[in-house]
Amino acid sequence: MNNSEKKSRLLPYIFAGFGVGILLVAFYFQFSKAKFEISDIYTDSSETGKYVFLFVETKSNKHNELLNWANDIKNSDDLLSMPDKTKPAILTVYFYNPNDTTELDEKTTNSLKERYSDKTDFTKKINYSPHGWQYIGHNDSSIEELPRDTVYKTYVFVPKTGYRAHEIIKQIY
């Protein structure tokens, strides 16, 4: 067998090796990078300002990653733009792992009912994530008591499947 025959026999193995290498690299980038998905959004614009609430599903619990995502969302989607620049615009993002949500226990349900006793019973429409994160951000330099961009670990209440955030938030406020 001459050299040219040896090279032609090796060619399929070389291409197969490149193909497998490309697939491995693609899988690495696909599964190593944490992801998020906006599951619901509620915007309230009134004479007092603009308030945007996002519910974001993610398996990440890394502070800096969540903060970067929230800042990217705030800046790229221009969610806080307002015609009247004298009014505040505030973004609240609730990060939660959908696999970590559960129905409200009796103690939490009773506590919410007590706190919002004059409201209709919204507790049947929400689930609870004990290991969630909340981001608060704004673009208003006049708001000094609220950090411009911050994320912290907290309990997160999220709409159950079949319900939307606006149905719940309007009942509370």
Side-chain angles (χ1 to χ4, degrees), residues 50-54 70 73-74 79-80 89-93 135-138:
K50 182 176 185 180
Y51 304 92
V52 180
F53 301 91
L54 291 175
I73 291 168
K74 180 180 86 170
L79 291 173
L80 300 183
I90 299 173
L91 172 65
T92 302
V93 181
Y135 164 87
I136 298 177
H138 61 87

Side-chain angles (χ1 to χ4, degrees), residues 56-59 95-102 127-129 158:
V56 177
E57 296 179 355
T58 183
K59 292 190 179 8
F95 290 103
Y96 66 98
N97 183 337
N99 298 330
D100 187 36
T101 59
T102 184
N127 280 334
Y128 164 73
S129 178
V158 298

Side-chain angles (χ1 to χ4, degrees), residues 11-111:
L11 213 50
Y13 294 107
I14 292 171
F15 285 124
F18 280 129
V20 169
I22 291 171
L23 282 174
L24 289 175
V25 169
F27 279 127
Y28 172 77
F29 283 113
Q30 178 70 22
F31 294 108
S32 68
K33 185 176 181 182
K35 297 183 187 247
F36 68 92
E37 180 181 335
I38 298 173
S39 61
D40 204 353
I41 184 169
Y42 174 72
T43 303
D44 180 18
S45 295
S46 65
E47 66 277 351
T48 61
K50 182 176 185 180
Y51 304 92
V52 180
F53 301 91
L54 291 175
F55 294 86
V56 177
E57 296 179 355
T58 183
K59 292 190 179 8
S60 176
N61 61 0
K62 297 176 183 166
H63 178 274
N64 288 337
E65 193 168 55
L66 299 172
L67 183 61
N68 289 337
W69 287 345
N71 279 318
D72 288 346
I73 291 168
K74 180 180 86 170
N75 296 321
S76 68
D77 293 340
D78 205 23
L79 291 173
L80 300 183
S81 65
M82 296 254 311
D84 183 354
K85 301 295 183 202
T86 64
K87 302 293 182 189
I90 299 173
L91 172 65
T92 302
V93 181
Y94 299 104
F95 290 103
Y96 66 98
N97 183 337
N99 298 330
D100 187 36
T101 59
T102 184
E103 295 208 10
L104 301 178
D105 59 23
E106 187 175 343
K107 179 181 175 186
T108 306
T109 300
N110 291 338
S111 175

Side-chain angles (χ1 to χ4, degrees), residues 142-155:
S142 68
I143 302 175
E144 295 176 3
E145 67 276 3
L146 185 65
R148 191 171 286 243
D149 295 295
T150 187
V151 66
Y152 53 91
K153 196 167 192 156
T154 186
Y155 304 132

Side-chain angles (χ1 to χ4, degrees), residues 109-139:
T109 300
N110 291 338
S111 175
L112 289 171
K113 285 180 178 180
E114 184 178 310
R115 182 173 180 185
Y116 299 102
S117 61
D118 60 333
K119 311 297 180 194
T120 59
D121 188 13
F122 62 90
T123 58
K124 292 177 178 58
K125 299 177 184 178
I126 59 176
N127 280 334
Y128 164 73
S129 178
H131 307 291
W133 292 79
Q134 182 175 355
Y135 164 87
I136 298 177
H138 61 87
N139 289 337

